[in-house]
Amino acid sequence: MVRYGFVIDLTRCISCYSCVAACTIENLDPSLWDDSDKRRIRLRGGEDGVYPPRIEIGEYPNVMRIVLPMPCFHCENPPCVKVCPVGATYKRDDGVVIVEQEKCIGCGYCIVACPYGSRFRNHTTGTVDKCNLCIHRIEAGEEPACVETCVGGALHLVDFDNPNDKYIREAFRRRAFKVECELGTQPAVYYIPSR
Amino acid sequence: MMVYHVPWGIEVAIFLWFAAMAGMGEVIIALIDKHDIKKSVLKHYSGFILIFSILALIFILSDLPLFIGALPRIISAFLEGRFNLASWMSIGMILLSLEILIASIDVIKYRRLSKWISLIASKESFRIISIVIGGLVTLYSGFLLSVSSIPIWTISPLPILWIFSGALAAIALLDILLWLSGEENPIYFTLRLKFSFGIIVGIIIFMALHISASSRSMSAKESAHMLLYGDLGALFWIGFSLLGLILPTIVDGIQIFSGKSVKEMSLVSSLLYILGALMLRILIIYAGVPYWKFMVI
């Protein structure tokens, strides 16, 4: 059994947005490319070119501001799945949370329920869109577009059921953190802190 | 005006307004059915409730980019056993459909369009079902927001606020119809109810904003700040608080304590309450700040 997720090494992320560009070109209709609200992966904290970024990490005096590459967290306990009225979004056995486009009615309830802002309305299809971990590429033996294109080698696709995965071991060694919230979502994305 | 982009907009606020008036209107019509109220008033009131129920459904559907195209997908979800009865969205679809059905029966009854349907509608059990469904429709509109990741929409007094604010608007509509029908001196009925419910709505709003402003969530605090002295402040204080709540409550209070009801004053206060209920919903929707805007790691 596999359980996919990401390990993102923030020491290697240079905020170049190449993951965002690669994902958008790979997955979205060209009519959406100009709309920065419609993205399957985002760089949170650095929206609109704001500098320094808004997300604070650490405790005084060791505080710094970071940009956080945020794909869908493919949570263990995804609040978006519970609220879908027609069962169009669900968690697969391999841990990937997907939206079946032909079943989605576009009500947007999952967008409202997701605490991480990982979903958006795709107005070309009239349905809800989100990161599906480029499952079509994984099934073809390739890496997700964002991972493949990452300039600094910060993004890594991992299998959390494989304890020997070198990036998982690295994540634990370097005290990686998750963006957990009070909902107990248990995200499947770990961040290796900048320092 | 700076507001955070939440996925739901004005069409959802209007839906919540119609749903609240339809739901609480249904409760009121079931409660006053046996009272000595002109049948012409109930005939028109039941018509309004049916229209509001249908409009609520249209406005929630209008939020779907697929609009009517969503219907076959909902039906196939039913047939394939995927329809999620644990989702408030699904519960709402069922409740609104039932509400339209009940409101239609009421219209048939008060307009005497069918003898046997009127017979069913006259039964005590139908009144109880009407009260339950009407109350649930209004409550559901509060719970619909409660599972969101937008902290101000999840504060506990919201469903109760929706109930009382919906009831206030529904009573105000009844008051307007009573006055327009030439009913004399409704001061001991609708006027007192409006005044009491106006005060209750004010108290719940105070509670809701206090909870939001003193919350640990930065997003909830930001929402309360936006409403109290932020970009939505003018709309909140002048549009809702003053015109939609305080002024009509004072107008009603003057009439009650002077023991004299004035048609024009009562009509204005009722209209302001109804518009205030809409303004309240618009403000709550637009004051939403998603959790991820203030992520703390």
Side-chain angles (χ1 to χ4, degrees), chain B residues 147-263:
Chain B
V147 293
S148 70
S149 60
I150 294 163
I152 197 170
W153 294 0
T154 64
I155 50 174
S156 47
L158 210 60
I160 307 295
L161 176 63
W162 267 203
I163 284 270
F164 278 99
S165 157
L168 179 58
I171 293 164
L173 178 68
L174 180 65
D175 186 58
I176 291 173
L177 293 178
L178 282 170
W179 277 110
L180 295 181
S181 74
E183 183 91 51
E184 282 183 14
N185 198 18
I187 190 164
Y188 293 108
F189 176 48
T190 51
L191 204 56
R192 278 171 188 262
L193 276 176
K194 279 195 301 173
F195 180 69
S196 317
F197 278 52
I199 290 170
I200 293 170
V201 167
I203 292 168
I204 302 173
I205 280 282
F206 173 77
M207 279 166 52
L209 286 176
H210 187 268
I211 289 171
S212 190
S214 55
S215 162
R216 278 192 310 153
S217 157
M218 284 298 291
S219 301
K221 277 187 208 292
E222 176 69 9
S223 295
H225 292 174
M226 276 167 73
L227 285 172
L228 292 173
Y229 42 81
D231 289 336
L232 296 171
L235 272 180
F236 175 75
W237 288 112
I238 299 169
F240 168 69
S241 301
L242 184 64
L243 295 175
L245 194 64
I246 296 170
L247 187 65
T249 308
I250 290 172
V251 168
D252 283 352
I254 290 168
Q255 293 179 88
I256 289 167
F257 293 113
S258 68
K260 204 166 71 179
S261 55
V262 181
K263 182 179 176 182

Side-chain angles (χ1 to χ4, degrees), chain B residues 227 232 235-236 240 278-287:
Chain B
L227 285 172
L232 296 171
L235 272 180
F236 175 75
F240 168 69
L278 173 63
M279 183 62 79
L280 173 66
R281 282 155 180 82
I282 291 172
L283 284 166
I284 295 285
I285 291 289
Y286 280 105

Side-chain angles (χ1 to χ4, degrees), chain A residues 105, chain B residues 57-72 74:
Chain A
I105 59 169
Chain B
L57 197 65
I58 288 173
F59 270 92
I60 196 68
L61 278 177
S62 75
D63 189 50
L64 304 180
L66 297 168
F67 200 55
I68 300 299
L71 205 60
I74 294 169

Side-chain angles (χ1 to χ4, degrees), chain B residues 3-18:
Chain B
V3 287
Y4 292 89
H5 289 287
V6 287
W8 282 345
I10 194 156
E11 66 284 348
V12 173
I14 297 173
F15 151 73
L16 293 171
W17 183 56
F18 281 131

Side-chain angles (χ1 to χ4, degrees), chain A residues 77-89:
Chain A
N77 181 24
C80 52
V81 168
K82 290 178 197 156
V83 301
C84 179
V86 292
T89 185

Side-chain angles (χ1 to χ4, degrees), chain A:
Chain A
M1 188 66 91
V2 290
R3 196 160 51 93
Y4 290 120
F6 282 114
V7 166
I8 300 175
D9 187 346
L10 296 176
T11 57
R12 288 171 168 267
C13 175
I14 58 167
S15 314
C16 66
Y17 284 81
S18 60
C19 53
V20 179
C23 170
T24 304
I25 293 165
E26 173 75 23
N27 295 300
L28 298 183
D29 187 272
S31 64
L32 298 171
W33 290 2
D34 284 341
D35 187 347
S36 61
D37 283 340
K38 317 277 186 230
R39 294 291 178 259
R40 286 188 177 190
I41 181 169
R42 296 163 200 260
L43 294 192
R44 289 279 185 235
E47 287 95 345
D48 313 322
V50 171
Y51 193 86
R54 291 195 210 96
I55 297 177
E56 288 183 1
I57 181 170
E59 285 181 19
Y60 178 83
N62 300 313
V63 184
M64 66 183 303
R65 289 186 158 193
I66 56 166
V67 166
L68 217 53
M70 273 179 67
C72 168
F73 283 174
H74 299 279
C75 304
E76 201 56 48
N77 181 24
C80 52
V81 168
K82 290 178 197 156
V83 301
C84 179
V86 292
T89 185
Y90 57 90
K91 191 170 175 67
R92 293 167 31 132
D93 291 340
D94 57 11
V96 182
V97 176
I98 61 162
V99 182
E100 279 200 34
Q101 296 295 317
E102 59 278 11
K103 290 179 181 168
C104 176
I105 59 169
C107 67
Y109 207 22
C110 54
I111 305 177
V112 172
C114 173
Y116 305 113
S118 298
R119 291 170 172 249
F120 61 92
R121 274 221 179 97
N122 183 334
H123 289 287
T124 57
T125 57
T127 55
V128 171
D129 208 323
K130 69 178 279 297
C131 159
N132 65 356
L133 252 173
C134 283
I135 201 70
H136 57 288
R137 290 175 62 97
I138 293 176
E139 283 169 354
E142 296 174 341
E143 289 187 310
C146 56
V147 174
E148 190 182 70
T149 202
C150 181
V151 174
L155 273 76
H156 305 288
L157 177 73
V158 294
D159 171 12
F160 285 108
D161 277 351
N162 176 11
N164 295 320
D165 190 304
K166 69 173 182 177
Y167 295 113
I168 293 178
R169 290 160 72 106
E170 183 76 356
F172 280 103
R173 192 179 65 78
R174 292 168 63 190
R175 295 184 182 175
F177 64 89
K178 292 196 283 188
V179 183
E180 187 57 276
C181 72
E182 62 264 36
L183 295 172
T185 51
Q186 300 178 38
V189 174
Y190 280 81
Y191 292 96
I192 296 174
S194 305
R195 56 170 149 144

